[in-house]
Amino acid sequence: MSIEICHLRYVVAAADYRSFRRAAAALNVTQPTLSKRIRELEDQLGLPLFERSTSGSQLTGEGEALVTSAKRILAELEYMQNHVKAVKVGTSGRLHIGIYTSLSTGALVDIVCGFAEQFENVDVNVVEDSRSSLISLLDRGAVDIIVVLGEPAYRDYAHTRLWSERIMVALHKEHPLVEREFVYWTDLKGERFLMGVQDPGPDLEGILLSKLISPGDGPLIARMKVSHDHLLGLVNRKRGVALVCESSMGNMPAGIVYREVRDGNGPTRLGFVAYWRRNNSNPTLKQFLTLLHAFAGSSHVVISAA
């Protein structure tokens, strides 16, 4: 006969209650059943664990040592069971999120930080890369979900259309347009636009061209393979202006001022989309999608798995 978990639970209960009768009642078993299990354990070990009397039971020295070990084993078993349950329902585990915009501010940082706070036992890993690289990571299963700007385009994945952000123009603090509360696209004609070739540069450039291009005329664009911070540094040196998304405004250099860009219909916005693999069974992903769904629902955005 091998030692079973019930043997350890019975001997610990008998030690805590100092009575086989009270221990049996607490465990909802009969006293003969508890006595039999403890006797089996004593026979297996070849030594007495309790000194029995009409007034109750008292641990022997060997019994005290065994109860100490049994409590540790039972505590570790309970932790393991709780951890497995938490992983199964997605309240513990790992979640890899891919993004290609800054997490300095905005709804995305609020959601990621809120998720991490709500599910503190989930290891949240954020990967920032280009959109094409993130799609590759998603395809290989290296990330669970990616959040990118633009309209839904990757139909091989389930997707969620999320919120949208205003497009802002970064101006030097001495630029004449700083005096205005917001600017129109037509106000920016003749400006030199500093545009990154990495995401979200192409999306912003596409919007810029749709607003300002005309037959034989178009905006002056300086395309650069540099970081967002480097573009702002050039704006700070009066080399031009730069378009940014609202969530990229968190780290603002001292010489930079942001102004909302509008057309006749109001602020110009660029939407976010989340993609994930349809066969991803990670329970933590389901919890994160629930949070995204709630946020999207509050913003009257429809979730789609098409």
Side-chain angles (χ1 to χ4, degrees):
M1 184 194 73
S2 60
I3 298 176
E4 300 176 2
I5 295 299
C6 66
H7 291 123
L8 301 182
R9 289 200 174 103
Y10 288 177
V11 74
V12 167
D16 289 343
Y17 286 98
R18 297 181 180 274
S19 164
F20 283 16
R21 179 180 58 82
R22 291 195 297 270
L27 294 172
N28 197 28
V29 298
T30 65
Q31 182 175 337
T33 297
L34 182 137
S35 298
K36 179 183 178 182
R37 290 298 189 184
I38 292 179
R39 182 65 71 183
E40 289 174 352
L41 181 58
E42 290 176 323
D43 292 342
Q44 180 74 6
L45 297 173
L47 50 85
L49 300 176
F50 290 92
E51 294 179 358
R52 297 163 175 82
S53 66
T54 56
S55 60
S57 58
Q58 186 173 352
L59 284 170
T60 63
E62 294 84 355
E64 289 181 356
L66 182 134
V67 167
T68 299
S69 298
K71 287 183 175 180
R72 184 179 65 252
I73 292 171
L74 291 174
E76 291 177 352
L77 177 62
E78 182 180 10
Y79 173 82
M80 180 183 69
Q81 290 173 331
N82 291 337
H83 178 69
V84 170
K85 290 178 181 178
V87 170
K88 187 175 181 180
V89 300
T91 58
S92 182
R94 293 182 178 179
L95 180 68
H96 299 277
I97 306 171
I99 64 170
Y100 79 88
T101 57
S102 170
L103 269 180
S104 60
T105 187
L108 185 55
V109 67
D110 291 341
I111 290 175
V112 172
C113 291
F115 179 83
E117 291 173 1
Q118 182 177 351
F119 300 98
E120 57 184 17
N121 291 322
V122 175
D123 181 15
V124 180
N125 178 40
V126 177
V127 179
E128 186 173 351
D129 212 328
S130 67
R131 177 162 37 189
S132 59
S133 295
L134 290 176
I135 286 293
S136 177
L137 291 174
L138 182 65
D139 192 54
R140 301 200 311 267
V143 294
D144 295 293
I145 187 170
I146 64 173
V147 180
V148 296
L149 284 164
E151 294 297 315
Y154 303 97
R155 301 297 179 178
D156 291 338
Y157 305 98
H159 73 272
T160 301
R161 187 193 292 269
L162 302 173
W163 59 90
S164 63
E165 289 190 353
R166 295 177 299 163
I167 294 179
M168 315 292 289
V169 59
L171 306 166
H172 186 271
K173 64 181 180 180
E174 296 177 359
H175 195 289
L177 291 177
V178 167
E179 299 300 323
R180 303 188 184 185
E181 183 180 353
F182 56 85
V183 300
Y184 289 101
W185 287 102
T186 51
D187 296 329
L188 297 173
K189 277 190 174 183
E191 297 289 344
R192 182 174 186 259
F193 289 90
L194 308 174
M195 194 71 64
V197 298
Q198 301 296 329
D199 300 318
D203 290 303
L204 294 172
E205 182 175 341
I207 292 176
L208 171 65
L209 292 175
S210 71
K211 300 296 183 181
L212 291 185
I213 198 167
S214 59
D217 187 24
L220 175 61
I221 300 175
R223 299 175 184 86
M224 304 177 181
K225 193 174 183 180
V226 297
S227 68
H228 171 78
D229 290 342
H230 188 81
L231 283 179
L232 294 183
L234 293 175
V235 173
N236 210 11
R237 292 195 288 272
K238 301 183 180 181
R239 298 288 302 278
V241 302
L243 298 177
V244 301
C245 296
E246 195 171 356
S247 61
S248 302
M249 294 168 48
N251 300 319
M252 184 169 64
I256 300 293
V257 176
Y258 293 104
R259 288 293 179 263
E260 178 185 282
V261 187
R262 297 184 178 185
D263 58 19
N265 297 317
T268 304
R269 310 184 73 92
L270 191 57
F272 278 85
V273 181
Y275 297 95
W276 67 96
R277 300 186 317 281
R278 291 186 176 87
N279 63 351
N280 189 329
S281 59
N282 183 355
T284 61
L285 172 62
K286 295 180 181 179
Q287 293 286 4
F288 187 69
L289 286 173
T290 298
L291 196 61
L292 281 179
H293 194 173
F295 187 92
S298 68
S299 302
H300 306 289
V301 179
V302 178
I303 300 295
S304 171

